[in-house]
Amino acid sequence: MYAYIKGTLEETAEDAVVVEAGGIGYNIRVSTATAELLPGVGNEVKIYTYTLVREDAFSLFGFLTRDDLEIFKKLIAVNGIGPKGGLAILSVMSADALRFAVMAGDAKAIAKAPGIGAKTAERVILELRDKISLEDTLKGLGDSGGAAGTNAGAGGDNLMKREAIEALVALGYSASDATAAVKKVEVSEDVTSETILKLALKHMF
Protein backbone atom coordinates (compact mmCIF):
# COMPACT_ATOMS: atom_id res chain seq x y z
CA MET A 1 0.00 0.00 0.00
CA TYR A 2 2.79 2.41 0.94
CA ALA A 3 6.00 2.36 -1.11
CA TYR A 4 7.78 4.44 1.51
CA ILE A 5 7.10 6.98 4.23
CA LYS A 6 9.18 10.14 4.44
CA GLY A 7 8.85 12.36 7.47
CA THR A 8 10.16 13.26 10.91
CA LEU A 9 11.40 10.57 13.26
CA GLU A 10 9.35 11.12 16.42
CA GLU A 11 10.00 8.01 18.53
CA THR A 12 12.39 5.07 18.48
CA ALA A 13 12.48 1.71 20.20
CA GLU A 14 14.47 -1.47 19.73
CA ASP A 15 11.93 -2.94 17.32
CA ALA A 16 9.74 -0.03 16.19
CA VAL A 17 9.73 3.65 15.27
CA VAL A 18 7.15 6.37 14.85
CA VAL A 19 7.49 8.59 11.79
CA GLU A 20 5.25 11.65 11.42
CA ALA A 21 4.30 12.50 7.84
CA GLY A 22 1.44 14.78 6.83
CA GLY A 23 0.27 15.13 10.42
CA ILE A 24 -0.03 11.35 10.89
CA GLY A 25 2.25 9.28 13.11
CA TYR A 26 3.07 5.94 11.49
CA ASN A 27 4.12 3.12 13.81
CA ILE A 28 6.62 1.02 11.86
CA ARG A 29 8.22 -2.26 12.95
CA VAL A 30 11.95 -2.41 12.21
CA SER A 31 14.85 -4.78 12.78
CA THR A 32 17.36 -3.96 15.51
CA ALA A 33 19.98 -3.44 12.80
CA THR A 34 17.77 -0.81 11.14
CA ALA A 35 17.04 0.86 14.48
CA GLU A 36 20.78 1.25 15.13
CA LEU A 37 21.30 3.02 11.79
CA LEU A 38 18.53 5.58 12.22
CA PRO A 39 19.36 9.24 12.88
CA GLY A 40 18.31 10.92 16.09
CA VAL A 41 14.74 11.83 16.97
CA GLY A 42 13.66 15.00 15.18
CA ASN A 43 15.55 14.22 11.97
CA GLU A 44 13.96 13.46 8.63
CA VAL A 45 13.94 9.83 7.52
CA LYS A 46 12.77 7.89 4.49
CA ILE A 47 11.66 4.35 5.27
CA TYR A 48 10.66 1.81 2.63
CA THR A 49 7.68 -0.12 3.91
CA TYR A 50 5.91 -3.44 3.62
CA THR A 51 2.23 -3.45 4.60
CA LEU A 52 0.74 -6.52 6.24
CA VAL A 53 -3.07 -6.62 6.34
CA ARG A 54 -4.90 -9.29 8.32
CA GLU A 55 -8.37 -9.55 9.79
CA ASP A 56 -7.01 -8.65 13.21
CA ALA A 57 -4.03 -6.47 12.31
CA PHE A 58 -2.70 -3.74 10.02
CA SER A 59 1.08 -3.55 10.36
CA LEU A 60 3.91 -1.68 8.70
CA PHE A 61 7.47 -3.04 8.47
CA GLY A 62 10.22 -0.61 7.54
CA PHE A 63 13.69 -0.65 5.98
CA LEU A 64 16.25 1.98 5.08
CA THR A 65 16.96 0.53 1.61
CA ARG A 66 14.93 -1.09 -1.15
CA ASP A 67 17.41 -3.96 -1.07
CA ASP A 68 16.54 -4.81 2.55
CA LEU A 69 12.83 -4.56 1.71
CA GLU A 70 13.16 -6.95 -1.24
CA ILE A 71 15.11 -9.55 0.74
CA PHE A 72 12.50 -9.26 3.52
CA LYS A 73 9.76 -10.05 1.01
CA LYS A 74 11.67 -13.13 -0.10
CA LEU A 75 12.16 -14.22 3.50
CA ILE A 76 8.50 -14.01 4.53
CA ALA A 77 7.56 -16.07 1.47
CA VAL A 78 9.46 -19.00 3.01
CA ASN A 79 7.19 -21.49 4.74
CA GLY A 80 7.37 -20.92 8.49
CA ILE A 81 9.04 -17.49 8.28
CA GLY A 82 6.64 -14.71 9.09
CA PRO A 83 7.38 -10.98 9.39
CA LYS A 84 8.72 -11.47 12.93
CA GLY A 85 11.15 -14.14 11.72
CA GLY A 86 12.18 -12.02 8.74
CA LEU A 87 13.05 -9.08 11.00
CA ALA A 88 14.89 -11.40 13.38
CA ILE A 89 17.13 -12.67 10.58
CA LEU A 90 17.81 -9.17 9.26
CA SER A 91 18.66 -8.08 12.80
CA VAL A 92 21.69 -10.39 12.91
CA MET A 93 22.86 -10.23 9.27
CA SER A 94 22.72 -7.83 6.35
CA ALA A 95 20.93 -8.56 3.08
CA ASP A 96 24.32 -9.23 1.43
CA ALA A 97 25.39 -11.62 4.20
CA LEU A 98 22.07 -13.47 3.98
CA ARG A 99 22.45 -13.90 0.23
CA PHE A 100 25.91 -15.37 0.57
CA ALA A 101 24.80 -17.58 3.47
CA VAL A 102 22.05 -18.97 1.23
CA MET A 103 24.45 -19.51 -1.68
CA ALA A 104 27.05 -21.11 0.60
CA GLY A 105 24.50 -23.24 2.47
CA ASP A 106 25.53 -21.65 5.78
CA ALA A 107 22.53 -22.59 7.96
CA LYS A 108 24.46 -21.88 11.17
CA ALA A 109 24.78 -18.18 10.32
CA ILE A 110 21.03 -17.87 9.67
CA ALA A 111 20.17 -19.88 12.80
CA LYS A 112 21.86 -17.20 14.94
CA ALA A 113 18.67 -15.16 14.60
CA PRO A 114 16.38 -15.33 17.68
CA GLY A 115 13.62 -17.88 17.19
CA ILE A 116 15.17 -19.39 14.07
CA GLY A 117 16.18 -23.01 14.57
CA ALA A 118 18.47 -25.16 12.46
CA LYS A 119 15.63 -26.77 10.49
CA THR A 120 14.05 -23.41 9.74
CA ALA A 121 17.42 -22.01 8.62
CA GLU A 122 17.87 -24.97 6.28
CA ARG A 123 14.39 -24.35 4.87
CA VAL A 124 15.36 -20.72 4.18
CA ILE A 125 18.35 -21.93 2.20
CA LEU A 126 16.33 -24.55 0.33
CA GLU A 127 13.53 -22.18 -0.68
CA LEU A 128 15.65 -19.11 -1.46
CA ARG A 129 18.55 -20.74 -3.30
CA ASP A 130 16.70 -20.60 -6.63
CA LYS A 131 15.43 -17.07 -5.97
CA ILE A 132 18.83 -15.49 -5.29
CA SER A 133 21.34 -15.23 -8.10
CA LEU A 134 25.11 -15.09 -7.77
CA GLU A 135 24.97 -11.61 -9.32
CA ASP A 136 22.67 -10.45 -6.50
CA THR A 137 24.96 -12.08 -3.94
CA LEU A 138 27.99 -10.17 -5.20
CA LYS A 139 26.22 -6.88 -5.94
CA GLY A 140 26.94 -5.41 -2.52
CA LEU A 141 30.57 -6.51 -2.71
CA GLY A 142 31.07 -4.58 -5.92
CA ASP A 143 30.10 -1.36 -4.18
CA SER A 144 32.76 -1.66 -1.48
CA GLY A 145 35.90 -1.45 -3.57
CA GLY A 146 37.95 1.70 -3.76
CA ALA A 147 38.68 1.56 -7.50
CA ALA A 148 35.50 0.67 -9.32
CA GLY A 149 36.83 1.11 -12.84
CA THR A 150 34.76 -0.20 -15.72
CA ASN A 151 32.03 -2.82 -15.55
CA ALA A 152 34.55 -5.43 -16.61
CA GLY A 153 36.87 -4.33 -13.83
CA ALA A 154 34.07 -4.48 -11.29
CA GLY A 155 33.24 -7.99 -12.46
CA GLY A 156 36.87 -9.01 -11.92
CA ASP A 157 36.78 -7.52 -8.42
CA ASN A 158 33.65 -9.52 -7.65
CA LEU A 159 35.28 -12.74 -8.81
CA MET A 160 38.34 -12.18 -6.63
CA LYS A 161 36.16 -11.27 -3.65
CA ARG A 162 34.08 -14.37 -4.16
CA GLU A 163 37.24 -16.50 -4.23
CA ALA A 164 38.43 -14.83 -1.02
CA ILE A 165 35.09 -15.47 0.70
CA GLU A 166 35.11 -19.11 -0.39
CA ALA A 167 38.64 -19.46 0.97
CA LEU A 168 37.59 -17.99 4.33
CA VAL A 169 34.62 -20.34 4.51
CA ALA A 170 36.96 -23.26 3.73
CA LEU A 171 39.11 -22.09 6.65
CA GLY A 172 36.14 -22.50 8.96
CA TYR A 173 34.68 -19.00 9.12
CA SER A 174 30.94 -18.48 8.59
CA ALA A 175 29.79 -17.09 5.27
CA SER A 176 28.34 -14.00 6.95
CA ASP A 177 31.58 -13.21 8.83
CA ALA A 178 33.64 -13.85 5.69
CA THR A 179 31.42 -11.58 3.62
CA ALA A 180 31.62 -8.78 6.18
CA ALA A 181 35.43 -9.02 6.34
CA VAL A 182 35.89 -8.99 2.56
CA LYS A 183 33.57 -5.98 2.20
CA LYS A 184 35.97 -3.98 4.38
CA VAL A 185 38.90 -4.55 2.01
CA GLU A 186 39.87 -1.67 -0.26
CA VAL A 187 40.38 -2.96 -3.82
CA SER A 188 43.13 -1.47 -6.01
CA GLU A 189 43.96 -2.08 -9.67
CA ASP A 190 46.74 -4.58 -8.97
CA VAL A 191 45.02 -6.50 -6.16
CA THR A 192 44.77 -10.29 -6.25
CA SER A 193 42.36 -12.67 -4.54
CA GLU A 194 45.26 -13.78 -2.32
CA THR A 195 45.84 -10.19 -1.22
CA ILE A 196 42.12 -9.72 -0.52
CA LEU A 197 42.19 -12.91 1.56
CA LYS A 198 45.17 -11.73 3.63
CA LEU A 199 43.62 -8.30 4.23
CA ALA A 200 40.24 -9.83 5.07
CA LEU A 201 41.86 -12.12 7.63
CA LYS A 202 43.08 -9.04 9.50
CA HIS A 203 39.46 -7.98 9.93
CA MET A 204 38.55 -11.38 11.38
CA PHE A 205 40.44 -10.66 14.61
Side-chain angles (χ1 to χ4, degrees), residues 11 66 116 180 186:
E11 298 178 22
R66 292 183 188 275
I116 304 298
E186 292 287 339

Side-chain angles (χ1 to χ4, degrees), residues 72-125:
F72 174 77
K73 290 179 180 178
K74 288 183 171 66
L75 273 172
I76 62 176
V78 174
N79 185 31
I81 299 288
K84 183 178 180 180
L87 286 184
I89 291 173
L90 292 177
S91 290
V92 300
M93 62 198 316
S94 67
D96 288 335
L98 174 61
R99 289 192 184 96
F100 199 88
V102 170
M103 296 293 292
D106 189 356
K108 289 184 179 180
I110 299 173
K112 290 180 180 178
I116 304 298
K119 290 185 177 180
T120 302
E122 290 171 359
R123 189 182 306 123
V124 169
I125 292 171

Side-chain angles (χ1 to χ4, degrees), residues 50-66:
Y50 174 82
T51 306
L52 178 66
V53 180
R54 292 177 176 167
E55 291 183 1
D56 59 345
F58 183 96
S59 305
L60 290 173
F61 297 85
F63 309 89
L64 292 177
T65 67
R66 292 183 188 275

